[in-house]
Amino acid sequence: MTINKEMTISSILEQDSGIANILMASGMHCLGCAMAHGEDLGQACAVHGIDADEMEKRINDYLSSK
């Protein structure tokens, strides 16, 4: 299982709830907000000043380690 930055935050969280810890540690504290349902990872990273490619890699590294 892998994710990509074009996936919505909510669909990414459906893959594994542990991903929430990675996002929150990076400053994305509003995972339950309405925007999380329609905003993709790339958009969310841009809003929060986070490198989307790095975040995608970090999440996929976490998923592959399981």
Side-chain angles (χ1 to χ4, degrees):
M1 145 181 34
T2 61
I3 62 98
N4 63 63
K5 60 188 172 193
E6 288 80 29
M7 295 172 69
T8 62
I9 298 296
S10 59
S11 66
I12 290 171
L13 292 173
E14 288 172 7
Q15 300 294 316
D16 186 301
S17 61
I19 295 170
N21 294 331
I22 297 168
L23 297 174
M24 291 182 68
S26 298
M28 293 185 196
H29 298 275
C30 54
L31 300 178
C33 75
M35 291 302 294
H37 295 285
E39 193 171 53
D40 66 37
L41 180 61
Q43 293 167 326
C45 285
V47 167
H48 290 88
I50 299 167
D51 183 304
D53 292 324
E54 176 58 34
M55 180 60 67
E56 180 180 8
K57 180 183 180 323
R58 200 175 325 165
I59 293 170
N60 283 320
D61 286 348
Y62 162 76
L63 292 172
S64 67
S65 71
K66 293 187 84 170

